[in-house]
């Protein structure tokens, strides 16, 4: 009896594993999935010194992280370059494109973002 239960279980499991993927679900390649993961990261800023640069990035979970050159962000993603306002990551060589770049949009310096100036003039007429 237990042998027949084993064979029935084996047949059911092998049939399910041999089924094609769900045709209603879009097929996403590992490289596309990796690109989606990287797009969820946000570059907050870059701290530069004469010897090295460190990027401040926000993970998809909302956790701030310091990122440096040659650091592995997660498997198949290694930070290649950190520069003034950008970070470049090298991906798995099988992926095309083989790199991903984050940039800070707009002003480079955060202090410049809220500054606005205006000059007002009033004319004074004598005797009035």
């Amino acid at each position: 009896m237990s042998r027949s239960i084993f064979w029935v279980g084996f047949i059911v499991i092998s049939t399910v594993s041999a089924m094609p993927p769900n045709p209603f679900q879009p097929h996403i390649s590992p490289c596309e999935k990796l690109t989606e993961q990287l797009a969820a990261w946000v570059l907050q800023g870059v701290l530069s010194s004469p010897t090295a640069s460190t990027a401040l990035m926000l993970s998809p979970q909302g956790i701030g992280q310091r990122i440096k050159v040659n650091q592995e962000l997660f498997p198949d993603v290694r930070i290649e370059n950190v520069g003034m306002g950008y970070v470049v990551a090298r991906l798995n060589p099988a992926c095309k494109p083989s790199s991903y770049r984050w940039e800070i949009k707009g002003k480079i310096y955060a202090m410049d973002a809220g500054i606005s100036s205006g000059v007002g003039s009033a004319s004074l007429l004598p005797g009035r």
Side-chain angles (χ1 to χ4, degrees):
M1 176 80 172
S2 65
R3 271 185 143 182
S4 61
I5 293 174
F6 170 76
W7 285 110
V8 169
F10 176 75
I11 291 170
V12 168
I13 291 173
S14 62
T15 304
V16 169
S17 64
M19 292 177 66
N22 185 347
F24 300 107
Q25 293 289 331
H27 175 71
I28 298 175
S29 73
C31 292
E32 289 172 328
K33 187 175 181 179
L34 187 61
T35 303
E36 286 179 7
Q37 289 175 331
L38 294 172
W41 285 76
V42 178
L43 178 59
Q44 297 287 307
V46 176
L47 303 171
S48 296
S49 72
T51 58
S53 294
T54 302
L56 302 173
M57 295 188 72
L58 193 62
S59 73
Q61 295 80 23
I63 301 169
Q65 292 188 1
R66 294 180 185 158
I67 307 295
K68 296 183 179 185
V69 174
N70 291 327
Q71 178 181 346
E72 187 174 70
L73 196 58
F74 46 86
D76 290 334
V77 178
R78 182 166 296 282
I79 302 301
E80 183 177 74
N81 195 356
V82 176
M84 190 64 137
Y86 69 91
V87 173
V88 177
R90 179 67 50 196
L91 309 180
N92 180 343
C95 294
K96 299 294 178 207
S98 60
S99 66
Y100 191 90
R101 182 180 176 108
W102 294 271
E103 291 184 358
I104 297 176
K105 304 287 186 225
K107 303 286 184 183
I108 294 177
Y109 301 104
M111 295 184 309
D112 295 342
I115 297 174
S116 61
S117 63
V119 177
S121 63
S123 59
L124 295 175
L125 298 175
R128 291 198 180 202

